[in-house]
Amino acid sequence: MNDLMQFALALLTGLLLGGVFFGGLWWTVQQGLASPRPALWFGFSFIVRTSIVLYGFYWVGASNWQHLLLCLLGFMSARFMIVRLTAPTPSEEANHAP
């Protein structure tokens, strides 16, 4: 596989890992707030999400540091996308105003 394809795959993997981590965090907050035992939700979710992301970074970065850097760039890009996608709309914000 040529270098450009490997770099694109590393970036895409970072986007996927970021989507899993930050999307999972958003989902956990939604479930944890409605749960009678939120500590279990947050604790278990943290362990699972972190394990997946660390394994993914280890797998991608094992070949060279450029792949790891691109994976991290994709991970952080996914963070901004998830924040944008899960932001409340102005009508939702108006419903929660004091």
Side-chain angles (χ1 to χ4, degrees):
M1 194 177 335
N2 61 19
D3 286 341
L4 186 59
M5 204 58 166
Q6 288 179 349
F7 289 156
L9 187 60
L11 185 66
L12 185 62
T13 303
L15 282 168
L16 179 66
L17 290 172
V20 167
F21 188 84
F22 294 110
L25 176 60
W26 177 80
W27 183 78
T28 299
V29 168
Q30 300 300 312
Q31 298 300 315
L33 291 176
S35 172
R37 297 185 187 157
L40 289 176
W41 278 100
F42 288 101
F44 185 71
S45 173
F46 175 74
I47 291 169
V48 170
R49 289 181 294 113
T50 303
S51 298
I52 291 169
V53 169
L54 284 176
Y55 178 75
F57 278 138
Y58 179 76
W59 181 72
V60 170
S63 56
N64 67 21
W65 66 270
Q66 290 99 347
H67 293 166
L68 183 61
L69 189 64
L70 284 168
C71 188
L72 182 61
L73 178 67
F75 183 82
M76 294 310 298
S77 298
R79 177 192 177 272
F80 292 113
M81 285 190 264
I82 295 293
V83 167
R84 182 80 135 170
L85 289 172
T86 59
T89 61
S91 62
E92 290 174 340
E93 288 179 356
N95 292 338
H96 295 289

Coordinates of all heavy atoms in Angstrom, one line a residue:
M1 N 0.9 -1.2 0.0 CA 0.0 0.0 0.0 C 0.9 1.2 0.0 O 1.9 1.3 0.7 CB -0.9 0.0 1.2 CG -2.0 0.9 1.2 SD -3.2 1.0 2.5 CE -3.2 -0.6 3.3
N2 N 0.5 2.2 -0.8 CA 1.4 3.4 -0.9 C 1.2 4.3 0.4 O 0.3 4.1 1.2 CB 1.1 4.2 -2.2 CG -0.3 4.7 -2.3 OD1 -1.0 4.8 -1.3 ND2 -0.7 5.0 -3.5
D3 N 2.1 5.2 0.5 CA 2.1 6.1 1.7 C 0.9 6.9 1.9 O 0.4 7.1 3.0 CB 3.4 7.0 1.7 CG 4.6 6.3 2.0 OD1 4.6 5.2 2.5 OD2 5.7 6.8 1.7
L4 N 0.4 7.5 0.8 CA -0.8 8.3 0.8 C -2.0 7.5 1.4 O -2.8 8.0 2.2 CB -1.1 8.9 -0.5 CG -2.3 9.9 -0.6 CD1 -2.0 11.1 0.4 CD2 -2.5 10.4 -2.0
M5 N -2.1 6.3 0.9 CA -3.2 5.4 1.3 C -3.1 5.1 2.8 O -4.1 5.1 3.6 CB -3.2 4.2 0.5 CG -4.5 3.5 0.4 SD -5.8 4.5 -0.3 CE -6.9 3.2 -0.6
Q6 N -1.9 4.8 3.3 CA -1.6 4.5 4.7 C -1.9 5.7 5.6 O -2.5 5.6 6.7 CB -0.2 4.1 4.9 CG 0.1 2.7 4.4 CD 1.5 2.3 4.6 OE1 2.4 3.1 4.9 NE2 1.8 1.0 4.4
F7 N -1.6 6.9 5.1 CA -1.8 8.2 5.8 C -3.4 8.4 5.9 O -3.9 8.8 7.0 CB -1.1 9.4 5.2 CG 0.3 9.4 5.4 CD1 1.2 10.1 4.5 CD2 1.0 8.7 6.4 CE1 2.5 10.1 4.7 CE2 2.3 8.7 6.6 CZ 3.1 9.4 5.7
A8 N -4.1 8.2 4.8 CA -5.5 8.4 4.8 C -6.2 7.4 5.8 O -7.1 7.7 6.5 CB -6.1 8.2 3.4
L9 N -5.7 6.1 5.8 CA -6.2 5.1 6.7 C -6.0 5.5 8.1 O -6.9 5.3 9.0 CB -5.6 3.8 6.3 CG -6.2 2.6 7.1 CD1 -7.7 2.4 6.8 CD2 -5.5 1.3 6.7
A10 N -4.8 6.0 8.4 CA -4.5 6.4 9.8 C -5.4 7.6 10.2 O -6.0 7.6 11.4 CB -3.1 6.9 9.9
L11 N -5.7 8.5 9.3 CA -6.6 9.7 9.7 C -8.0 9.2 9.8 O -8.7 9.6 10.8 CB -6.5 10.7 8.5 CG -7.2 12.0 8.8 CD1 -6.7 12.8 9.9 CD2 -7.2 12.8 7.5
L12 N -8.4 8.3 9.0 CA -9.8 7.7 9.1 C -10.0 6.9 10.3 O -11.0 7.0 11.0 CB -10.1 6.9 7.8 CG -11.5 6.3 7.7 CD1 -12.5 7.4 7.6 CD2 -11.6 5.4 6.5
T13 N -8.9 6.2 10.7 CA -9.0 5.4 12.0 C -9.1 6.4 13.2 O -9.8 6.1 14.1 CB -7.8 4.5 12.1 OG1 -7.7 3.6 11.0 CG2 -7.8 3.7 13.4
G14 N -8.4 7.5 13.1 CA -8.5 8.5 14.2 C -9.9 9.0 14.3 O -10.4 9.2 15.4
L15 N -10.5 9.3 13.1 CA -11.8 9.8 13.1 C -12.8 8.8 13.7 O -13.7 9.2 14.5 CB -12.3 10.2 11.7 CG -11.8 11.5 11.1 CD1 -12.0 11.5 9.6 CD2 -12.4 12.6 11.8
L16 N -12.6 7.6 13.4 CA -13.4 6.5 13.9 C -13.3 6.4 15.4 O -14.2 6.3 16.2 CB -13.1 5.2 13.2 CG -13.9 4.0 13.7 CD1 -15.4 4.1 13.4 CD2 -13.4 2.7 13.1
L17 N -12.0 6.4 15.9 CA -11.7 6.3 17.3 C -12.3 7.5 18.1 O -12.9 7.3 19.2 CB -10.2 6.1 17.6 CG -9.6 4.8 17.2 CD1 -8.1 5.0 17.3 CD2 -10.1 3.7 18.0
G18 N -12.2 8.6 17.5 CA -12.7 9.8 18.1 C -14.3 9.8 18.2 O -14.9 10.2 19.2
G19 N -14.9 9.3 17.1 CA -16.3 9.1 17.1 C -16.8 8.2 18.2 O -17.8 8.4 18.8
V20 N -16.1 7.1 18.3 CA -16.4 6.1 19.4 C -16.2 6.7 20.8 O -17.1 6.6 21.6 CB -15.5 4.8 19.2 CG1 -15.7 3.9 20.5 CG2 -15.9 4.0 18.0
F21 N -15.1 7.4 21.0 CA -14.8 7.9 22.3 C -15.8 9.1 22.7 O -16.5 9.0 23.7 CB -13.4 8.5 22.4 CG -13.0 8.9 23.8 CD1 -12.5 7.9 24.7 CD2 -13.1 10.2 24.2 CE1 -12.2 8.3 25.9 CE2 -12.7 10.6 25.5 CZ -12.3 9.6 26.3
F22 N -15.9 10.1 21.8 CA -16.7 11.2 22.2 C -18.2 11.0 22.0 O -19.0 11.5 22.7 CB -16.2 12.5 21.4 CG -14.8 12.9 21.8 CD1 -13.8 12.7 20.9 CD2 -14.6 13.4 23.0 CE1 -12.5 13.1 21.3 CE2 -13.3 13.8 23.4 CZ -12.3 13.6 22.6
G23 N -18.6 10.2 21.0 CA -20.0 9.8 20.8 C -20.4 8.9 22.0 O -21.5 9.1 22.5
G24 N -19.5 8.1 22.4 CA -19.8 7.2 23.6 C -19.9 8.1 24.9 O -20.7 7.8 25.7
L25 N -19.1 9.1 25.0 CA -19.2 10.0 26.1 C -20.5 10.7 26.1 O -21.2 10.8 27.2 CB -18.0 11.0 26.1 CG -18.0 12.1 27.2 CD1 -18.0 11.4 28.6 CD2 -16.9 13.0 27.0
W26 N -21.0 11.2 25.0 CA -22.2 11.9 24.9 C -23.4 11.0 25.3 O -24.3 11.3 26.1 CB -22.5 12.5 23.5 CG -23.8 13.1 23.3 CD1 -24.1 14.4 23.7 CD2 -24.9 12.6 22.8 NE1 -25.4 14.6 23.4 CE2 -26.0 13.5 22.8 CE3 -25.2 11.3 22.2 CZ2 -27.2 13.3 22.3 CZ3 -26.5 11.1 21.7 CH2 -27.5 12.1 21.8
W27 N -23.3 9.7 24.7 CA -24.3 8.8 25.1 C -24.3 8.4 26.5 O -25.4 8.2 27.2 CB -24.1 7.5 24.2 CG -25.2 6.5 24.4 CD1 -26.4 6.5 23.9 CD2 -25.1 5.3 25.1 NE1 -27.1 5.3 24.3 CE2 -26.3 4.6 25.0 CE3 -24.0 4.7 25.9 CZ2 -26.5 3.4 25.7 CZ3 -24.2 3.5 26.5 CH2 -25.5 2.9 26.4
T28 N -23.2 8.3 27.1 CA -23.0 7.9 28.5 C -23.6 9.0 29.4 O -24.3 8.8 30.4 CB -21.6 7.7 28.9 OG1 -21.0 6.7 28.1 CG2 -21.4 7.4 30.4
V29 N -23.4 10.3 29.1 CA -24.0 11.4 29.8 C -25.5 11.3 29.8 O -26.2 11.5 30.8 CB -23.4 12.7 29.3 CG1 -24.2 13.9 29.9 CG2 -22.0 12.9 29.7
Q30 N -26.0 11.1 28.6 CA -27.5 11.0 28.4 C -28.1 9.8 29.3 O -29.1 10.0 30.0 CB -27.9 10.7 27.0 CG -27.4 11.8 26.0 CD -28.0 13.2 26.4 OE1 -29.2 13.3 26.6 NE2 -27.2 14.2 26.4
Q31 N -27.4 8.7 29.3 CA -27.9 7.5 30.0 C -27.6 7.7 31.5 O -28.4 7.3 32.4 CB -27.2 6.3 29.5 CG -27.5 5.9 28.1 CD -29.0 5.7 27.8 OE1 -29.7 5.0 28.6 NE2 -29.4 6.3 26.8
G32 N -26.5 8.3 31.9 CA -26.1 8.4 33.3 C -26.9 9.4 34.0 O -27.2 9.2 35.2
L33 N -27.4 10.4 33.4 CA -28.2 11.4 34.0 C -29.6 10.9 34.4 O -30.2 11.3 35.3 CB -28.3 12.7 33.2 CG -27.1 13.5 33.0 CD1 -27.3 14.7 32.1 CD2 -26.6 14.0 34.4
A34 N -30.0 9.9 33.6 CA -31.4 9.3 33.8 C -31.3 8.1 34.7 O -32.4 7.5 35.0 CB -32.0 9.0 32.5
S35 N -30.1 7.7 35.0 CA -30.0 6.4 35.8 C -30.0 6.6 37.3 O -29.5 7.6 37.8 CB -28.7 5.7 35.3 OG -28.4 4.6 36.1
P36 N -30.4 5.6 38.0 CA -30.3 5.7 39.5 C -28.9 5.4 40.0 O -28.6 5.8 41.1 CB -31.3 4.6 40.0 CG -31.5 3.7 38.9 CD -31.3 4.5 37.6
R37 N -28.0 4.9 39.1 CA -26.6 4.6 39.4 C -25.7 5.2 38.4 O -25.1 4.4 37.6 CB -26.4 3.1 39.5 CG -27.2 2.5 40.6 CD -26.9 1.0 40.8 NE -27.8 0.4 41.7 CZ -28.1 -0.9 41.8 NH1 -27.5 -1.7 40.9 NH2 -28.9 -1.3 42.7
P38 N -25.6 6.5 38.3 CA -24.7 7.1 37.3 C -23.3 6.7 37.4 O -22.6 6.7 36.4 CB -25.0 8.6 37.4 CG -25.5 8.7 38.8 CD -26.2 7.5 39.2
A39 N -22.8 6.5 38.6 CA -21.4 6.2 38.7 C -21.0 4.9 38.0 O -19.9 4.8 37.4 CB -21.0 6.0 40.2
L40 N -21.9 3.9 37.9 CA -21.6 2.7 37.1 C -21.5 3.0 35.7 O -20.7 2.5 35.0 CB -22.7 1.7 37.4 CG -22.7 1.0 38.8 CD1 -23.9 0.1 38.9 CD2 -21.4 0.3 39.0
W41 N -22.4 3.9 35.2 CA -22.4 4.2 33.8 C -21.1 4.9 33.4 O -20.4 4.6 32.4 CB -23.6 5.2 33.4 CG -24.9 4.5 33.2 CD1 -25.9 4.3 34.0 CD2 -25.2 3.8 32.0 NE1 -26.9 3.6 33.4 CE2 -26.5 3.3 32.1 CE3 -24.6 3.6 30.7 CZ2 -27.2 2.6 31.2 CZ3 -25.3 3.0 29.7 CH2 -26.5 2.4 30.0
F42 N -20.8 6.0 34.2 CA -19.6 6.7 33.9 C -18.3 5.9 34.1 O -17.4 6.0 33.3 CB -19.5 8.0 34.8 CG -20.5 9.0 34.3 CD1 -21.7 9.2 35.0 CD2 -20.3 9.8 33.2 CE1 -22.7 10.1 34.6 CE2 -21.3 10.8 32.8 CZ -22.4 10.9 33.5
G43 N -18.2 5.1 35.1 CA -17.0 4.3 35.3 C -16.8 3.3 34.3 O -15.7 3.2 33.7
F44 N -17.8 2.5 34.0 CA -17.7 1.4 33.0 C -17.5 2.0 31.6 O -16.6 1.5 30.9 CB -19.0 0.6 33.0 CG -18.9 -0.6 32.1 CD1 -18.1 -1.7 32.4 CD2 -19.6 -0.6 30.9 CE1 -18.0 -2.8 31.6 CE2 -19.5 -1.7 30.1 CZ -18.7 -2.8 30.4
S45 N -18.2 3.1 31.3 CA -18.0 3.7 30.0 C -16.6 4.3 29.8 O -16.0 4.1 28.8 CB -19.0 4.9 29.8 OG -18.7 5.6 28.6
F46 N -16.0 4.9 30.9 CA -14.7 5.4 30.8 C -13.7 4.3 30.5 O -12.8 4.4 29.6 CB -14.3 6.1 32.1 CG -12.9 6.6 32.1 CD1 -12.5 7.7 31.4 CD2 -12.0 5.9 32.9 CE1 -11.2 8.1 31.4 CE2 -10.6 6.4 32.9 CZ -10.2 7.5 32.1
I47 N -13.8 3.2 31.2 CA -12.9 2.1 31.0 C -13.0 1.5 29.6 O -12.0 1.3 28.9 CB -13.1 1.0 32.1 CG1 -12.7 1.5 33.4 CG2 -12.4 -0.3 31.7 CD1 -13.2 0.6 34.6
V48 N -14.2 1.3 29.1 CA -14.4 0.7 27.8 C -13.9 1.7 26.7 O -13.1 1.3 25.8 CB -15.9 0.3 27.6 CG1 -16.1 0.0 26.1 CG2 -16.3 -0.8 28.5
R49 N -14.3 2.9 26.8 CA -13.9 3.9 25.8 C -12.4 4.1 25.7 O -11.8 4.1 24.7 CB -14.6 5.2 26.0 CG -16.1 5.3 25.7 CD -16.7 6.6 25.9 NE -16.7 7.0 27.3 CZ -16.0 8.0 27.8 NH1 -15.3 8.8 27.0 NH2 -16.1 8.3 29.1
T50 N -11.8 4.2 26.9 CA -10.3 4.4 26.9 C -9.6 3.2 26.5 O -8.6 3.3 25.7 CB -9.9 4.8 28.4 OG1 -10.7 5.9 28.8 CG2 -8.5 5.1 28.5
S51 N -10.1 2.0 26.8 CA -9.4 0.8 26.3 C -9.4 0.7 24.8 O -8.4 0.4 24.2 CB -10.1 -0.4 26.9 OG -10.0 -0.4 28.3
I52 N -10.6 1.0 24.2 CA -10.7 0.9 22.8 C -9.8 1.9 22.1 O -9.1 1.6 21.1 CB -12.2 1.2 22.3 CG1 -13.1 0.0 22.7 CG2 -12.3 1.4 20.8 CD1 -14.6 0.3 22.6
V53 N -9.8 3.2 22.6 CA -8.9 4.2 22.0 C -7.4 3.9 22.2 O -6.7 4.1 21.2 CB -9.3 5.6 22.5 CG1 -8.3 6.7 22.1 CG2 -10.7 6.0 22.1
L54 N -7.0 3.5 23.3 CA -5.6 3.2 23.6 C -5.2 2.0 22.7 O -4.1 2.1 22.1 CB -5.4 2.8 25.0 CG -5.3 4.0 26.0 CD1 -5.1 3.6 27.4 CD2 -4.2 5.0 25.6
Y55 N -6.0 1.0 22.5 CA -5.7 -0.1 21.7 C -5.6 0.4 20.2 O -4.6 0.0 19.5 CB -6.7 -1.3 21.8 CG -6.4 -2.4 20.8 CD1 -5.3 -3.3 21.1 CD2 -7.1 -2.6 19.7 CE1 -5.0 -4.3 20.2 CE2 -6.8 -3.6 18.8 CZ -5.8 -4.5 19.1 OH -5.5 -5.5 18.2
G56 N -6.5 1.2 19.8 CA -6.5 1.7 18.4 C -5.2 2.6 18.2 O -4.6 2.4 17.1
F57 N -4.9 3.4 19.1 CA -3.7 4.2 18.9 C -2.4 3.3 18.9 O -1.5 3.6 18.1 CB -3.5 5.3 20.0 CG -4.3 6.5 19.8 CD1 -5.0 7.1 20.9 CD2 -4.4 7.1 18.6 CE1 -5.7 8.3 20.7 CE2 -5.1 8.3 18.4 CZ -5.8 8.9 19.5
Y58 N -2.4 2.3 19.7 CA -1.3 1.4 19.7 C -1.1 0.7 18.4 O -0.1 0.5 17.8 CB -1.4 0.4 20.9 CG -0.3 -0.6 20.9 CD1 0.9 -0.2 21.4 CD2 -0.5 -1.9 20.5 CE1 2.0 -1.2 21.5 CE2 0.5 -2.8 20.6 CZ 1.7 -2.5 21.0 OH 2.7 -3.4 21.1
W59 N -2.3 0.2 17.9 CA -2.3 -0.5 16.6 C -1.9 0.4 15.5 O -1.1 0.0 14.6 CB -3.7 -1.1 16.4 CG -3.9 -1.8 15.2 CD1 -3.4 -3.1 14.9 CD2 -4.6 -1.4 14.0 NE1 -3.7 -3.5 13.7 CE2 -4.5 -2.5 13.1 CE3 -5.3 -0.3 13.7 CZ2 -5.1 -2.4 11.8 CZ3 -5.9 -0.2 12.4 CH2 -5.8 -1.3 11.5
V60 N -2.4 1.6 15.4 CA -2.1 2.5 14.3 C -0.6 3.0 14.4 O 0.1 3.1 13.4 CB -3.0 3.7 14.3 CG1 -2.6 4.8 13.3 CG2 -4.4 3.2 13.9
G61 N -0.2 3.4 15.6 CA 1.1 4.0 15.8 C 2.3 3.0 15.9 O 3.4 3.4 16.0
A62 N 2.0 1.7 15.8 CA 3.0 0.7 15.9 C 4.0 0.8 14.7 O 5.2 0.5 14.8 CB 2.5 -0.7 16.0
S63 N 3.5 1.2 13.5 CA 4.4 1.2 12.4 C 5.3 2.5 12.3 O 6.5 2.3 12.0 CB 3.5 1.1 11.1 OG 2.6 2.2 11.1
N64 N 4.8 3.6 12.6 CA 5.6 4.8 12.6 C 4.9 6.0 13.3 O 3.7 6.0 13.4 CB 6.2 5.2 11.3 CG 5.2 5.7 10.3 OD1 4.1 6.1 10.6 ND2 5.5 5.6 9.0
W65 N 5.6 7.0 13.6 CA 5.1 8.1 14.4 C 4.2 9.0 13.5 O 3.3 9.7 14.0 CB 6.2 9.0 15.0 CG 7.1 9.7 14.0 CD1 8.2 9.2 13.4 CD2 6.9 11.0 13.5 NE1 8.8 10.1 12.6 CE2 8.0 11.2 12.6 CE3 6.0 12.0 13.7 CZ2 8.1 12.4 11.9 CZ3 6.1 13.2 13.0 CH2 7.2 13.4 12.1
Q66 N 4.4 9.0 12.2 CA 3.5 9.9 11.3 C 2.1 9.3 11.4 O 1.1 10.1 11.4 CB 4.0 9.9 9.9 CG 5.3 10.7 9.7 CD 6.5 9.8 9.7 OE1 6.4 8.6 10.0 NE2 7.6 10.4 9.3
H67 N 1.9 8.0 11.4 CA 0.6 7.4 11.5 C -0.1 7.8 12.8 O -1.3 8.0 12.8 CB 0.7 5.9 11.3 CG 1.1 5.5 9.9 ND1 1.5 4.2 9.7 CD2 1.2 6.2 8.7 CE1 1.8 4.1 8.4 NE2 1.7 5.3 7.8
L68 N 0.7 7.7 13.9 CA 0.2 8.1 15.2 C -0.3 9.5 15.2 O -1.3 9.8 15.7 CB 1.2 7.8 16.3 CG 0.8 8.0 17.7 CD1 -0.4 7.1 18.1 CD2 2.0 7.8 18.6
L69 N 0.5 10.4 14.6 CA 0.2 11.8 14.6 C -1.1 12.1 13.8 O -2.0 12.8 14.2 CB 1.3 12.6 14.0 CG 1.2 14.1 14.1 CD1 1.2 14.6 15.6 CD2 2.4 14.8 13.4
L70 N -1.2 11.4 12.6 CA -2.4 11.5 11.8 C -3.7 10.9 12.5 O -4.8 11.5 12.4 CB -2.2 10.9 10.5 CG -1.4 11.7 9.5 CD1 -1.0 10.9 8.3 CD2 -2.1 13.0 9.1
C71 N -3.5 9.9 13.2 CA -4.5 9.3 14.0 C -5.0 10.2 15.1 O -6.2 10.4 15.3 CB -4.1 7.9 14.6 SG -5.4 7.0 15.4
L72 N -4.1 10.9 15.7 CA -4.4 11.9 16.8 C -5.1 13.1 16.2 O -6.1 13.6 16.7 CB -3.2 12.3 17.5 CG -3.3 13.3 18.6 CD1 -4.2 12.7 19.7 CD2 -2.0 13.7 19.2
L73 N -4.7 13.5 15.0 CA -5.4 14.6 14.3 C -6.8 14.2 13.9 O -7.8 15.0 14.1 CB -4.6 14.9 13.0 CG -5.2 16.0 12.1 CD1 -5.2 17.4 12.9 CD2 -4.5 16.1 10.8
G74 N -7.0 13.0 13.5 CA -8.4 12.5 13.2 C -9.2 12.4 14.5 O -10.4 12.7 14.5
F75 N -8.6 12.0 15.6 CA -9.3 11.9 16.9 C -9.8 13.2 17.3 O -10.9 13.4 17.7 CB -8.3 11.3 17.9 CG -8.9 11.0 19.2 CD1 -9.6 9.9 19.5 CD2 -8.7 11.9 20.3 CE1 -10.2 9.6 20.7 CE2 -9.2 11.7 21.5 CZ -10.0 10.5 21.7
M76 N -8.9 14.2 17.2 CA -9.3 15.6 17.7 C -10.3 16.2 16.7 O -11.2 16.9 17.1 CB -8.1 16.5 17.8 CG -7.1 16.0 18.9 SD -8.0 15.8 20.5 CE -8.6 17.4 20.9
S77 N -10.2 15.9 15.4 CA -11.2 16.4 14.5 C -12.6 15.8 14.8 O -13.6 16.5 14.7 CB -10.8 16.0 13.0 OG -9.6 16.6 12.7
A78 N -12.6 14.5 15.2 CA -13.9 13.9 15.5 C -14.5 14.6 16.8 O -15.7 14.7 16.9 CB -13.7 12.4 15.8
R79 N -13.7 15.0 17.7 CA -14.2 15.7 18.8 C -14.9 17.0 18.4 O -16.1 17.2 18.9 CB -13.0 16.1 19.8 CG -13.5 16.9 21.0 CD -12.3 17.6 21.7 NE -12.8 18.4 22.8 CZ -13.1 19.7 22.7 NH1 -13.1 20.3 21.5 NH2 -13.5 20.3 23.7
F80 N -14.4 17.8 17.5 CA -15.1 19.0 17.1 C -16.4 18.6 16.3 O -17.4 19.3 16.5 CB -14.1 19.8 16.2 CG -13.0 20.4 17.0 CD1 -11.7 20.0 16.8 CD2 -13.3 21.4 18.0 CE1 -10.7 20.6 17.5 CE2 -12.2 21.9 18.7 CZ -10.9 21.5 18.5
M81 N -16.3 17.5 15.6 CA -17.6 17.1 14.8 C -18.6 16.7 15.8 O -19.8 17.1 15.6 CB -17.2 16.0 13.8 CG -16.5 16.5 12.6 SD -16.4 15.3 11.4 CE -14.8 14.6 11.7
I82 N -18.3 15.9 16.8 CA -19.3 15.4 17.8 C -19.8 16.6 18.6 O -21.1 16.6 18.8 CB -18.7 14.4 18.7 CG1 -18.3 13.1 17.9 CG2 -19.6 14.0 19.8 CD1 -19.4 12.3 17.3
V83 N -19.0 17.5 19.0 CA -19.5 18.7 19.7 C -20.5 19.5 18.9 O -21.5 19.9 19.3 CB -18.3 19.6 20.2 CG1 -18.8 20.9 20.6 CG2 -17.5 18.9 21.3
R84 N -20.2 19.6 17.6 CA -21.0 20.3 16.7 C -22.4 19.6 16.4 O -23.4 20.2 16.4 CB -20.3 20.5 15.3 CG -21.1 21.3 14.3 CD -20.9 22.7 14.6 NE -20.6 23.4 13.4 CZ -20.7 24.7 13.4 NH1 -20.9 25.4 14.5 NH2 -20.4 25.4 12.3
L85 N -22.3 18.3 16.3 CA -23.5 17.5 16.1 C -24.4 17.4 17.3 O -25.6 17.3 17.1 CB -23.1 16.1 15.6 CG -22.5 16.0 14.2 CD1 -22.0 14.6 13.9 CD2 -23.6 16.4 13.1
T86 N -23.8 17.4 18.4 CA -24.6 17.2 19.7 C -25.0 18.6 20.3 O -25.6 18.5 21.4 CB -23.9 16.3 20.6 OG1 -22.7 16.9 21.0 CG2 -23.7 14.9 20.0
A87 N -24.6 19.7 19.7 CA -24.9 21.0 20.4 C -26.4 21.2 20.4 O -27.1 20.8 19.4 CB -24.2 22.1 19.6
P88 N -26.9 21.7 21.4 CA -28.4 22.0 21.5 C -28.8 23.1 20.5 O -28.0 24.0 20.2 CB -28.6 22.5 22.9 CG -27.3 22.9 23.4 CD -26.3 22.2 22.7
T89 N -30.0 23.0 19.9 CA -30.5 24.0 19.0 C -31.0 25.2 19.9 O -31.2 25.0 21.1 CB -31.6 23.4 18.2 OG1 -32.7 23.0 19.1 CG2 -31.2 22.2 17.4
P90 N -31.1 26.3 19.2 CA -31.6 27.5 20.0 C -33.0 27.2 20.7 O -33.2 27.7 21.8 CB -31.7 28.6 18.9 CG -30.7 28.2 17.9 CD -30.7 26.7 17.9
S91 N -33.8 26.5 20.1 CA -35.1 26.2 20.7 C -35.0 25.3 21.9 O -35.7 25.5 22.9 CB -36.1 25.5 19.7 OG -35.6 24.3 19.3
E92 N -34.0 24.4 21.9 CA -33.7 23.5 23.1 C -33.1 24.4 24.2 O -33.4 24.2 25.4 CB -32.8 22.4 22.7 CG -33.4 21.3 21.8 CD -32.4 20.3 21.4 OE1 -31.2 20.6 21.4 OE2 -32.8 19.2 21.0
E93 N -32.3 25.3 23.9 CA -31.7 26.2 24.9 C -32.7 27.1 25.5 O -32.7 27.4 26.7 CB -30.6 27.0 24.3 CG -29.3 26.3 23.9 CD -28.2 27.1 23.3 OE1 -28.5 28.3 23.1 OE2 -27.1 26.6 23.1
A94 N -33.7 27.5 24.7 CA -34.8 28.4 25.3 C -35.7 27.6 26.2 O -36.2 28.2 27.2 CB -35.6 29.0 24.1
N95 N -35.8 26.3 26.0 CA -36.6 25.5 26.9 C -36.0 25.3 28.3 O -36.7 25.1 29.3 CB -36.9 24.2 26.3 CG -37.9 24.3 25.1 OD1 -38.6 25.2 25.0 ND2 -37.8 23.3 24.2
H96 N -34.7 25.4 28.3 CA -33.9 25.2 29.6 C -33.5 26.5 30.3 O -32.8 26.4 31.3 CB -32.7 24.3 29.3 CG -33.0 23.0 28.9 ND1 -33.6 22.0 29.7 CD2 -32.9 22.4 27.6 CE1 -33.7 20.9 29.0 NE2 -33.4 21.1 27.7
A97 N -33.9 27.6 29.8 CA -33.6 28.9 30.4 C -34.3 29.1 31.7 O -35.5 28.7 31.8 CB -33.9 30.0 29.4
P98 N -33.7 29.7 32.7 CA -34.4 29.9 34.0 C -35.5 30.9 33.9 O -35.7 31.8 33.2 CB -33.3 30.4 34.9 CG -32.1 30.8 34.1 CD -32.4 30.2 32.7

